[in-house]
């Protein structure tokens, strides 16, 4: 779970950098490629996060 949280933090930093960075007169966050890369990173991480949460749930459930 630590590595998943670390990856979430990296995605948060990527989004924050995109909001604060400017190129060619507009924000990086307004660029479609930057939005797509951020979304792809997030969607690739989510199955691992959910699998980790499911494993913890299985360990905590009785039986």
């Amino acid at each position: 779970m630590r590595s998943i949280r670390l990856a979430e933090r990296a995605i948060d930093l990527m989004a924050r950098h995109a909001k604060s960075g400017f190129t060619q007169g507009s924000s990086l966050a307004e660029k479609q490629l930057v939005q797509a890369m951020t979304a792809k990173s997030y969607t690739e991480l989510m199955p691992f996060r959910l699998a980790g949460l499911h494993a913890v749930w299985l360990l905590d459930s009785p039986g």
Side-chain angles (χ1 to χ4, degrees):
M1 289 300 286
R2 277 189 225 174
S3 59
I4 293 171
R5 183 61 195 132
L6 185 63
E8 287 177 340
R9 174 93 171 118
I11 293 170
D12 289 342
L13 289 173
M14 181 172 41
R16 188 177 305 159
H17 177 72
K19 288 179 185 177
S20 66
F22 285 89
T23 183
Q24 298 176 354
S26 65
S27 171
L28 284 173
E30 294 175 6
K31 303 292 184 188
Q32 186 176 2
L33 180 61
V34 175
Q35 293 173 357
M37 290 186 330
T38 305
K40 183 179 179 195
S41 298
Y42 184 77
T43 56
E44 287 177 350
L45 176 65
M46 282 302 104
F48 297 106
R49 183 176 185 269
L50 293 175
L53 292 173
H54 182 69
V56 170
W57 177 76
L58 287 174
L59 289 171
D60 286 344
S61 63

